[in-house]
Amino acid sequence: MSKKFDVAVLGGGPGGYVAAIRAAQLGYKTAVIEKENLGGICLNWGCIPTKSLLRNAELYDLMNNHADEFGLKVEGLSFDFSKIIKRSREVSEKVTNGVEFLMRKNKIERIKGYGKFKDKNTIEVFDDKEELSDTVSADKIIIATGAHPKQIPSIPVDRKKIITSREAMSLDSQPKEMIVIGAGAIGVEFAYFYSVFGTNVTIIEMMDSLVPVEDKEVSQTLERSFKKRKIKIYTSTKVLKAEVKSKKVKVTIEKNGKEEILEADTVLNAIGVEGNVDGFGLEKIGVEVERGHIKVDKSTYQTNVDGVYAIGDVIGPPWLAHVASAEGIYCVEKLKGLNPPLVGYESIPGCTYCHPQIGSIGLTEEKAKDEGYEIKVGKFPFSASGKSAAIGEREGFVKIIFDAKYGEILGAHIIGPEATELIAELGLAKSLEADFETIVKTVHAHPTLSESVMEAAANAYGESIHI
Amino acid sequence: MRVNIVMPKMGESINEGTIIKWHKKKGDKVQKDEIIFEISTDKVDTEIPSSEEGTLVEIKAFEQETVEVGEVVAVIETESDAASNADQEEQKSEEKVPSTKQVGGDLIDIPMPKMGESVMEGTIIKWYKKVGDNVESDETLFEISTDKVDTEVPSPVKGVLAEIITNENETVEVGEIVARIKSSTGISYGKIEDKKAEPQKETAVAAKEETTKKSSSTAEIYLDKPVSDRFYSPVVLNIARKENIPFDELERIGGSGVKGRLTKKDLFNYLEARKSGSVTKPRPTEYQSKPSQKETVKFEASETQTTSFGNIDVVPMDNIRSKIMEHMVKSRDTSVHVTAMIEVDMTQIHNYIERNKDTFQNNEGIKLTYMPFISYAAINALKQFPFVNASIEGNNILVKKFINLGIAVAVEPNGLIVPNIKNADERNIRGLAKAINQIGQKARNKGLSPDDISGGTFTITNYGVFGSLFGTPIINQPEVAILGVGTVTKKPVVVEVNGVDSIAIKPMMYLSLAHDHRLVDGMLGGRFLKAVKDTLENFDINLV
């Protein structure tokens, strides 16, 4: 069966389905092609199911370790691991169904199957049995095929003993020991999750700190917190190889030129992701791929092939769902001839949902200095916040970095309670090009955690009230 | 301080002057603006006032001696030198702004220029420069509006704008000092700095600091007065303040943000481009067109009043508008307006224009319209009926022996001005077409000189361009008539061919003549109109 559309989107993740909805809103006859459930990694195997798991961890951690502090008596506290996993899968299913509904609501044709380019305006869709089920032709095609966990030969993933994030959120039983390779957001979230439930976790990072993209002080605070949880941390450490030996996995590491062998029943490969660029005919239509990612012009998101666009993880970092969505919307609006402002890559918040949470935007202190800015730094610890004391979450701080010359917010870094929500205010402030005064003179409600944002801004100019 | 008095430059081509009389002798006290000597050049004899108050200590050129422009002819010792140091200190603290006497360099006073015989005051409507800016000689310094004309005033010297005394929208009398420029060449009034007087150097430094301070505060004042409702982020405003970008300059920078918002990045790109010279600061011509375009869209209401009928915007009347108002009321109160109308068959001219418009455009670079033909016909009629080309003064009728033809020009957004074509009777159609085009352009670009708008003898107003068929125009005083031109439209008209009436389609036009019944009676008005009609209907195309 052959169908003709204005816009066809290959891939139904947070980049693809959002682009499809925006295209439909703008009056394009639109199709979205996806072999699995809509929502991509984010809704099915990433953001949403992991946040569900982390909620379990948070509650259990609170009951298990802090009940007494709140005067609560908990006896016989236990958990059912398979049920924790089950809840996570249910949450995922629910939200993906929501996306299916949105497709119908916006009259987008949802084509199930694996799409491959026939030519630059035609995608052939194959079903489970790899038989041709549909042929989709469209004036414009947007590639939003996403990314997958990066694999390297020295860490051979077998999906049982050496696993990726996908398996880590659907294990049948809880591992006793786990070695997490890579201390990015995915690595530290799983390290936190499994350690709360009693798994002996070791985390290995090649760079010199946990969450290496974050501000150094944030990394240090997280490291202290993780050490308290008895998570073993190896930074500046290289993994030479990982081998499955009977029931265990042996991981050979090298730190300061010295080799060491660690053992665990499960190893999580969390070294990063890379674009899905193979197996759907990119080479056939001549789309240029560079180091595992499609090359695009970021003022249109067009590839080197006329009428073929690409957005989201497949075009490279930052690999974030909200970036994919923003790119998808921009791409379609630009197609329509609207004049959207460029995606503001310098103002993209990054969030990590371990405990304490991390939310950040813009430049770190080190980066700002490297770029030659003269800076003013304001910091406010949650230990000085009334609301933090009340809820018993006194770990962490808000740190804001201003350009001394023009008062611009260069970056903001929050580690602590609800950091991932608190960062939103600074995202808005940054994109509106607010300065220190704008934040300080905005009345923040008391008692809230968000007061800490105001205080941190004030602190940069020596006007903080509560420290 | 000793101040050199030099032979002044009296005109572009005048390089020397002869002193014919000294009004003061050595040792005399001289007041500022008091005549000290008289010179004669090949163009003009003139009396030269002193630029300073003080004592004439030296005369270097004697009567009947001819000296070159710029050469020192006398030296005046100013009072301040005699004063004690303490007095100087006091004076320094009293003076808020650098004054001519204190600054070691050459401060040139810029007065409100005289724009015409009857023009006594002017309103500064825009400063193109701010304190601290470099100014080239002949570069536009500010723009003024008088009751006759808006015009740009160029700087007489090269230098740095040291002080703005009259702010925008302030009205001052002709001759009053509106600014001071610190000249880098120092020509017109040379001064000798007394090198021994150390305190003066300090003063100069203080003055300089004052100037810098003033310039930054000026920029802040700009920034505190947003002229549009465009949103500027705090960071953008901070950058503008630090980089001294006034608001009106910000307004002209394109934004790439949401709904055209000006982002930090846009501003940095702009600054970068400006630094590298690919964006020059907007030139005066751009200055003029931009704001007027904006104003056609909306008036700037100073406040909004709410009444039971709804909201009312209160728009302060600008100078031009209030002058137009005055002129209109004055004309209505002076002349007894009556209006006569006539219908004109424009077939011949219409056909001529249709045939020749492309060639004309190619040859002359301007569009051929009906106006030069109508002007030509009106000039012909004025020659026949000189009383229409006249004015009334007391009990006398002044019959003009020249025809300076006024053309009413609408100036966006809400201006109206009547420049005239001097000796229009000496021009043919081609010459009239060019002259009409030229004064129209000048009027719209605010390039009119006082000369262009004075001395008119008769006016034509073309309300037909807006589609009006006929109107009853108001006479441009002190003239006694005005010709209104309606739009040319094709109409069915009855024509008589060989004694048989038939209907033909013809391009027709109504002309109206509003005339002052005190002088021009119905008969004269009617005959005048008929003469215009006859010229147009029987146009000799060989005249073009």
Side-chain angles (χ1 to χ4, degrees), chain B residues 364-382:
Chain B
E364 310 295 336
I366 52 172
K367 217 174 124 194
L368 184 59
T369 65
Y370 292 109
M371 274 303 277
F373 296 90
I374 296 161
S375 305
Y376 185 84
I379 291 161
N380 255 359
L382 288 170

Side-chain angles (χ1 to χ4, degrees), chain B residues 99-237:
Chain B
S99 83
T100 351
K101 283 166 195 149
Q102 283 183 317
V103 178
D106 303 323
L107 268 176
I108 310 298
D109 290 344
I110 308 297
M112 171 62 72
K114 194 164 176 67
M115 296 310 295
E117 269 314 303
S118 60
V119 181
M120 297 318 295
E121 57 175 31
T123 307
I124 297 207
I125 50 181
K126 176 158 202 69
W127 278 102
Y128 287 107
K129 296 283 174 182
K130 56 182 194 301
V131 171
D133 278 359
N134 283 318
V135 185
E136 292 297 319
S137 170
D138 290 332
E139 197 182 0
T140 302
L141 199 54
F142 56 95
E143 188 177 336
I144 60 166
S145 175
T146 67
D147 56 353
K148 295 236 168 110
V149 70
D150 283 0
T151 194
E152 287 167 359
V153 179
S155 171
V157 290
K158 181 182 154 112
V160 176
L161 184 56
E163 189 185 358
I164 288 178
I165 298 165
T166 308
N167 291 321
E168 285 179 11
N169 295 321
E170 270 181 40
T171 303
V172 293
E173 279 184 20
V174 166
E176 202 169 297
I177 308 300
V178 299
R180 289 198 174 98
I181 290 181
K182 188 165 183 198
S183 151
S184 40
T185 49
I187 10 153
S188 55
Y189 307 113
K191 289 180 189 179
I192 302 166
E193 198 181 332
D194 193 341
K195 296 217 164 63
K196 280 173 280 180
E198 275 299 312
Q200 281 176 9
K201 267 200 180 154
E202 278 173 34
T203 320
V205 173
K208 203 176 154 197
E209 275 172 9
E210 193 72 53
T211 314
T212 350
K213 235 162 70 191
K214 203 171 161 62
S215 81
S216 68
S217 72
T218 311
E220 298 226 5
I221 290 164
Y222 273 115
L223 288 170
D224 288 343
K225 281 191 213 156
V227 287
S228 74
D229 47 11
R230 191 182 188 192
F231 173 84
Y232 293 105
S233 75
V235 167
V236 163
L237 292 178

Side-chain angles (χ1 to χ4, degrees), chain B residues 1-5 29-30 50-57 75-83 88 100-102 190-192 194 200:
Chain B
M1 198 198 329
R2 288 160 69 89
V3 178
N4 280 353
I5 305 297
K29 287 252 184 256
V30 193
S50 170
S51 61
E52 302 292 340
E53 184 179 334
T55 311
L56 189 61
V57 291
V75 178
I76 289 177
E77 184 104 35
T78 59
E79 298 293 320
S80 62
D81 208 62
Q88 270 188 10
T100 351
K101 283 166 195 149
Q102 283 183 317
K191 289 180 189 179
I192 302 166
D194 193 341
Q200 281 176 9

Side-chain angles (χ1 to χ4, degrees), chain B residues 35 77 105 112 124 209 233 252 269 311 318 324 363 439:
Chain B
I35 305 300
E77 184 104 35
M112 171 62 72
I124 297 207
E209 275 172 9
S233 75
R252 286 189 300 274
N269 288 344
N311 289 345
D318 61 19
I324 292 171
N363 292 342
I439 56 174

Side-chain angles (χ1 to χ4, degrees), chain A residues 36-166:
Chain A
E36 294 185 37
N37 289 335
L38 290 177
I41 295 284
C42 168
L43 271 58
N44 293 285
W45 300 105
C47 321
I48 300 300
T50 56
K51 263 74 265 174
S52 157
L53 294 175
L54 289 161
R55 176 69 174 155
N56 289 72
E58 213 176 282
L59 290 174
Y60 185 72
D61 188 22
L62 188 64
M63 290 304 150
N64 200 23
N65 299 318
H66 303 282
D68 189 53
E69 178 188 328
F70 289 93
L72 304 177
K73 271 203 174 350
V74 183
E75 280 164 25
L77 181 69
S78 66
F79 60 92
D80 177 346
F81 188 76
S82 62
K83 213 168 166 183
I84 290 171
I85 298 292
K86 192 172 157 245
R87 177 177 178 276
S88 161
R89 298 320 307 157
E90 281 167 4
V91 167
S92 166
E93 199 180 324
K94 203 168 182 171
V95 292
T96 56
N97 285 342
V99 177
E100 296 279 356
F101 162 77
L102 287 174
M103 295 298 108
R104 288 194 300 277
K105 182 190 156 199
N106 287 288
K107 307 204 166 43
I108 295 161
E109 179 126 357
R110 191 264 197 259
I111 296 166
K112 189 150 182 146
Y114 191 86
K116 290 182 184 177
F117 276 102
K118 185 174 175 239
D119 57 55
K120 76 182 190 65
N121 294 106
T122 315
I123 293 175
E124 291 181 326
V125 183
F126 297 87
D127 63 14
D128 293 345
K129 292 163 206 122
E130 295 187 16
E131 279 172 19
L132 185 69
S133 57
D134 262 315
T135 303
V136 174
S137 66
D139 295 340
K140 311 283 180 193
I141 294 177
I142 300 172
I143 303 168
T145 49
H148 61 272
K150 190 151 95 185
Q151 295 190 20
I152 50 174
S154 55
I155 310 168
V157 170
D158 65 0
R159 301 199 184 274
K160 291 191 178 69
K161 292 280 157 203
I162 304 179
I163 61 175
T164 68
S165 57
R166 183 158 175 160

Side-chain angles (χ1 to χ4, degrees), chain A residues 346-388:
Chain A
E346 65 289 341
S347 296
I348 293 187
C351 291
T352 306
Y353 297 80
C354 55
H355 191 283
Q357 291 184 359
I358 301 166
S360 66
I361 193 162
L363 302 179
T364 62
E365 185 174 342
E366 305 84 58
K367 194 87 205 294
K369 282 180 187 159
D370 283 353
E371 290 193 7
Y373 285 103
E374 198 189 312
I375 54 170
K376 273 193 156 75
V377 179
K379 219 175 122 181
F380 187 82
F382 285 111
S383 58
S385 154
K387 179 68 181 289
S388 291

Side-chain angles (χ1 to χ4, degrees), chain A residues 339-342 346 373 403-410 430-435 438, chain B residues 231 233-236 238-240 242-243 256-259 261-265 268 271:
Chain A
N339 198 17
L342 292 172
E346 65 289 341
Y373 285 103
D403 169 27
K405 193 169 177 198
Y406 300 125
E408 186 195 357
I409 301 165
L410 296 174
K430 191 168 186 321
S431 78
L432 277 176
E433 297 179 349
D435 59 1
T438 325
Chain B
F231 173 84
S233 75
V235 167
V236 163
N238 290 348
I239 297 168
K242 288 262 163 67
E243 304 299 336
S256 68
V258 179
K259 291 181 180 160
R261 180 174 296 172
L262 183 68
T263 66
K264 167 197 77 176
K265 211 180 258 170
F268 280 143
L271 284 170

